[in-house]
Amino acid sequence: MKSPTFDTTRFSKYFTCYTATNSRRLWLYAAIILITWLLVCILPPVMTLFSSYSCDLPADPAWETEGTWAFLLLMLFTGLSGAMFYSSFNPRGARVQVLTAPASSFEKFLTWFIIYFFGMIAVFYASAFIADLIRVGVVKAFAACPSTARPIPALEIFGLAIDKPFDQINAPDVLQWIGFYGLALSNFAIFALGSIVFYAKNAFIKTIGCLVALNAALSYIAFASFKVFFGNSSFEPRFDPEVTITSNCTLAAISIIVFAFLLWLGYRRFKEADIVNRW
């Protein structure tokens, strides 16, 4: 007897059907990520007429810039990808097809999670390395000192501009990585939740609006709380915690818990979609 929650054959059929039906849209998203990375990698040396490659240097000057852009673009595309998580619910006719498809809610959710999370991450970093290789080829073809142009090391991209050899990475560096990637995970989960709450239209913009409003409200509450406890007296809060393995593990656990909770919340809303339209 097949499980009503997950069946391998049923899941594979729905996954194949979804990717085939939306192949043009998914390829377009992948192309946008690649084009964005090409602009980031190629435009700076071209616009400066390859001035950074006028002499031989021990490290490619583009590495640090691309590492910084990796974090900024990761935040952008995790948000955009999360906002498309439940995009099958828009328009209304497509929503009916999703709800009546011969697959369980969990199988549909897992299909979208693989495509819009793992698929996006794979395309994001593959595009980064492809664009960087193209940059190296362009610089070697036109720069005065082509030997300076080198392919970016994987640690520069995955390390998000932390420019250290692997054997010199310490606890604060690990904490910084966890903070960066934890923020990216939360960003994806928040916009994924927004895409089912505001699935009718403009989920990305509406989610940003909610985040801005929530941030303003919390900031005012924090300001009012400090005024209540400290009045008009001046104070300088200082936080200098010791970074240890425990603190790293704690932050990583909190990030994963927040990520899982927000995804679970969106999944619960999705399961209720055939009963109610909104909370």
Side-chain angles (χ1 to χ4, degrees), residues 42 48 71 194 229:
I42 296 177
T48 58
F71 171 68
F229 285 102

Side-chain angles (χ1 to χ4, degrees), residues 167-183:
D167 57 352
Q168 296 181 13
I169 295 174
N170 52 29
D173 295 328
V174 175
L175 185 67
Q176 182 176 336
W177 282 341
I178 294 174
F180 282 161
Y181 284 107
L183 187 59

Side-chain angles (χ1 to χ4, degrees), residues 216-246:
L218 293 178
S219 298
Y220 177 77
I221 291 173
F223 171 76
S225 300
F226 281 121
K227 292 287 288 184
V228 169
F229 285 102
F230 297 100
N232 294 323
S233 61
S234 61
F235 65 94
E236 182 181 355
R238 300 184 63 182
F239 302 96
D240 189 20
E242 182 181 357
V243 179
T244 62
I245 296 177
T246 302

Side-chain angles (χ1 to χ4, degrees), residues 31-220:
I32 291 174
I33 294 176
L34 177 58
I35 291 172
T36 303
W37 265 115
L38 286 172
L39 294 175
V40 166
C41 292
I42 296 177
L43 273 185
V46 171
M47 296 297 291
T48 58
L49 301 177
F50 307 99
S51 59
S52 299
Y53 300 93
S54 58
C55 60
D56 192 15
L57 298 174
D60 193 317
W63 290 355
E64 184 176 357
T65 302
E66 291 179 17
T68 303
W69 272 105
F71 171 68
L72 299 176
L73 292 179
L74 183 64
M75 294 301 300
L76 172 64
F77 285 118
T78 51
L80 290 173
S81 186
M84 294 183 292
F85 197 98
Y86 296 98
S87 57
S88 297
F89 265 46
N90 184 25
R92 185 177 298 275
R95 185 159 69 250
V96 174
Q97 294 178 6
V98 170
L99 296 174
T100 57
S104 68
S105 299
F106 178 74
E107 289 163 349
K108 298 169 188 175
F109 175 86
L110 184 59
T111 294
W112 302 334
F113 183 72
I114 292 174
I115 292 173
Y116 291 109
F117 182 72
F118 290 111
M120 186 279 297
I121 295 296
V123 170
F124 179 82
Y125 284 110
S127 298
F129 289 112
I130 291 172
D132 182 72
L133 289 175
I134 295 175
R135 172 192 64 82
V136 172
V138 171
V139 172
K140 286 185 176 296
F142 297 101
C145 187
S147 60
T148 301
R150 306 178 186 89
I152 189 170
L155 187 60
E156 291 284 342
I157 289 291
F158 293 108
L160 303 174
I162 295 179
D163 188 15
K164 285 186 178 181
F166 188 78
D167 57 352
Q168 296 181 13
I169 295 174
N170 52 29
D173 295 328
V174 175
L175 185 67
Q176 182 176 336
W177 282 341
I178 294 174
F180 282 161
Y181 284 107
L183 187 59
L185 289 176
S186 300
N187 191 54
F188 175 85
I190 289 171
F191 280 92
L193 177 60
S195 72
I196 189 62
V197 174
F198 307 113
Y199 62 79
K201 196 174 183 181
N202 298 325
F204 184 74
I205 301 300
K206 290 179 180 178
T207 304
I208 291 178
C210 288
L211 290 176
V212 171
L214 181 62
N215 180 69
L218 293 178
S219 298
Y220 177 77

